[in-house]
Structures are given as structure tokens and as C-alpha cells.
Amino acid sequence: RENFIHLCNPHLEKMKEDILYHFALGTGTHDFPALFGDVKFVCVGGSPSRMKAFIAYIAEELGLGSPGGDYPNICAGTDRYAMYKVGPVLSVSHGMGIPSISIMLHELIKLLYHAKCSNITIIRIGTSGGIGLEPGSVVITRQSVDATFKSQFEQVILGKTVIRSTNLDEQLAKELMQCSKEINQFNTVIGNTMCTLDFYEGQGRLDGAICLYNEEEKLQYLKEAYDSGVRNIEMESSVFAAMCNLSGVKAAVVCVTLLNRLEGDQISSSHDVLQEYQQRPQKLVGYFIKKSLGKV
């Protein structure tokens, strides 16, 4: 059964041309079905360099392209986002925070729609702060929750507050968990992910330029988060889940934890250790893609 992208915007049908400004792509200048019609897996992450590294990794894993080959940035006409493609896999950067990823997702979802893509799986791979987990643990998100632990994304549209669901695909999460068991290289859990509006006060850190609470209050908040099922904190998952839900796209969030926030606020691991941690979501998702394509 073919599941196509669902666009929740009737106005697009009236437009002669759709310009994806932040991608430097447009339906009047690019043949979207020819460029992207074969895409089945989209992986998104904050850093352009990380997403370029991922496309090189997945190309090698799938036996596509040449070893050490270069993969051009499809969005080279802009400095907002970077996009790379190999075979059925698209790799896109989204920057940091809800506003940045939401802009990217609006244009990505339209790109997949214009390309007539079907049966798409979108996975966010990234880094996060863990709660009650050893650094380097990977969290597959069950549902994204806000800073009050509610599984919702709240946005003001035309002056009115709109609340959207942030549940993620349960079956996809289970499949990813099974893949981690088969790899058996690092600790992986399924848990809730708290999505905040900033990195410092919003996540209860004590090391920002402004902090008007004490360590006891911080720890009490993080323990409440843990008790509610939260296992990690990042800044993009809520709007990611909400927009994928509305568009009928199967989605997952897979993030590695760089530290245990119950034990500190600053990331102190060495560069080499952090590099290895950051590769763990890539390894898990890469294995999942290979398995999905029957290449394991």
C-alpha cells in the first residue's frame, strides 16, 4: 500500500510555483520527482557536518558510491541548511531549536510531496542530555513532552494557542530497539524525551549567564522529569513529532546522551569520546535502513 505525504494546506494547489527558499530549490527550477522520487528514508540532524558524515557512512553501508567519494550539498545555494542524498536516503541538517527545525520541516515535507514520494520514514538523529542514564546511552523516543512533562506541542497561530500531539510511531520505535539488540554495541532505551525552548534555564542548568534557582531546585525538577518517564532532553523533538503526525509520516527520534544531567551540567568528555558517542545513533539508524532494504 502506497502512503503518500499528506499536505495540510489547500492554498498550495493555487500556486503556480512553490519556492523552497531556505533550501534554494523550487518547483519551477527543479524536477522534484526526478531528483527525489526514489527517497524512502530521511534522516535529519542539527549539524551540517554530521549529516554529511552520515550520508558518507550510509553510502558505504549500502554499497553505493565509491569509498571516500564526495557528496555535494544539494542546498549549496543557501547557507541555512545542508542536504545530501545517496540512493533512497536523504540526509538534511536542521540547525538548533524548534524554530529552525520547523522551518526546515515545512520545506522538507513539501519537497517530498512535490517529488511524489511514498512510504517515507523520517528519523531525527542527534545528541541530548540524559537523565539517570550513563553517558553514551541511546534513547529512542516514545513521545516528546514539554517542560511541564505534557505530551504536546503548543504554538500560537493567528493569536490563538494551538495544541498538537507529539506521539511517535510505536512500531517504528520497537523495530529500532530490536535493531539495537542485534547490534549489541551500546545501551539503548525507549523513553520520553523532554523538548525545551533553550539549552540553559529551560533545561535547569546552573552554568548559564542567568540562573535564579539553586541546585536543590534543579535536581528536584530533573528527578520529577525522570519519574514522569523522561530519559533525555533536547530542543527539537516536539515540533518534529507534531509536524510528522499531521503529514502522515512515520517518524522516530534517536538521540545519544552526552552526559547524565543528575551528575552535572557541562559536557566534559574528550573530543574523541564525544565523536564516538555521536556515531551511535548513525550506526543504529544505518543498521535499521540496511535491514529494511534486506541488506543485513
Side-chain angles (χ1 to χ4, degrees):
R1 182 167 163 246
E2 296 289 290
N3 291 319
F4 292 93
I5 303 290
H6 173 64
L7 277 191
C8 298
N9 184 358
H11 306 289
L12 292 174
E13 294 179 13
K14 304 170 188 173
M15 293 167 48
K16 291 181 180 178
E17 180 183 2
D18 191 4
I19 298 169
L20 309 185
Y21 171 73
H22 301 89
F23 284 166
L25 298 171
T27 55
T29 53
H30 297 79
D31 185 342
F32 282 49
L35 288 169
F36 305 107
D38 61 339
V39 169
K40 296 296 178 187
F41 304 94
V42 183
C43 295
V44 303
S47 159
S49 61
R50 199 182 301 153
M51 300 323 292
K52 186 172 186 178
F54 176 74
I55 209 69
Y57 172 75
I58 200 67
E60 187 174 341
E61 289 292 296
L62 297 179
L64 301 171
S66 55
D70 190 38
Y71 299 92
N73 177 11
I74 297 169
C75 298
T78 176
D79 60 359
R80 293 295 181 188
Y81 304 105
M83 179 186 295
Y84 306 95
K85 181 182 182 298
V86 64
V89 183
L90 197 63
S91 177
V92 192
S93 71
H94 58 59
M96 190 181 293
I98 287 171
S100 184
I101 192 174
S102 69
I103 294 167
M104 187 282 289
L105 285 171
H106 274 283
E107 299 188 13
L108 173 65
I109 289 164
K110 291 198 296 177
L111 179 153
L112 297 170
Y113 174 82
H114 293 313
K116 298 179 171 56
C117 293
S118 65
N119 302 333
I120 293 287
T121 298
I122 302 182
I123 303 177
R124 167 169 142 66
I125 54 177
T127 58
S128 64
I131 303 183
L133 296 174
E134 282 295 309
S137 298
V138 171
V139 179
I140 301 166
T141 304
R142 176 181 290 110
Q143 56 183 197
S144 176
V145 301
D146 64 16
T148 64
F149 320 139
K150 294 177 184 173
S151 58
Q152 62 184 38
F153 173 62
E154 188 176 298
Q155 185 172 4
V156 176
I157 302 172
L158 300 183
K160 298 177 182 178
T161 299
V162 176
I163 293 175
R164 291 170 174 165
S165 168
T166 54
N167 290 335
L168 287 151
D169 191 280
E170 188 177 347
Q171 181 58 36
L172 178 56
K174 289 178 180 176
E175 290 174 15
L176 286 161
M177 189 68 192
Q178 178 59 35
C179 286
S180 183
K181 289 176 181 176
E182 292 173 19
I183 296 173
N184 195 28
Q185 292 182 15
F186 39 79
N187 180 47
T188 303
V189 301
I190 294 179
N192 291 347
T193 295
M194 183 162 71
C195 183
T196 65
L197 299 179
D198 85 311
F199 186 80
Y200 287 97
E201 289 179 284
Q203 297 187 13
R205 278 184 160 82
L206 300 173
D207 60 342
I210 299 167
C211 180
L212 302 176
Y213 44 84
N214 59 39
E215 185 170 10
E216 185 180 341
E217 291 169 320
K218 165 206 152 176
L219 287 173
Q220 181 181 347
Y221 175 68
L222 293 180
K223 286 171 182 174
E224 286 174 5
Y226 183 89
D227 290 342
S228 77
V230 172
R231 293 296 176 268
N232 65 333
I233 312 173
E234 47 85 271
M235 297 189 292
E236 293 87 19
S237 59
S238 62
V239 72
F240 173 81
M243 291 182 70
C244 288
N245 280 336
L246 285 169
S247 304
V249 179
K250 191 162 60 171
V253 177
V254 179
C255 289
V256 70
T257 61
L258 300 183
L259 75 167
N260 180 0
R261 287 293 318 288
L262 295 175
E263 296 178 355
D265 295 331
Q266 297 210 326
I267 299 167
S268 57
S269 298
S270 70
H271 175 75
D272 289 345
V273 168
L274 292 175
Q275 283 290 102
E276 195 278 319
Y277 285 172
Q278 290 177 24
Q279 290 168 3
R280 292 181 179 186
Q282 297 186 19
K283 288 180 180 178
L284 175 51
V285 173
Y287 182 88
F288 166 79
I289 291 173
K290 282 176 67 177
K291 188 176 178 182
S292 300
L293 296 172
K295 296 196 173 188
V296 171

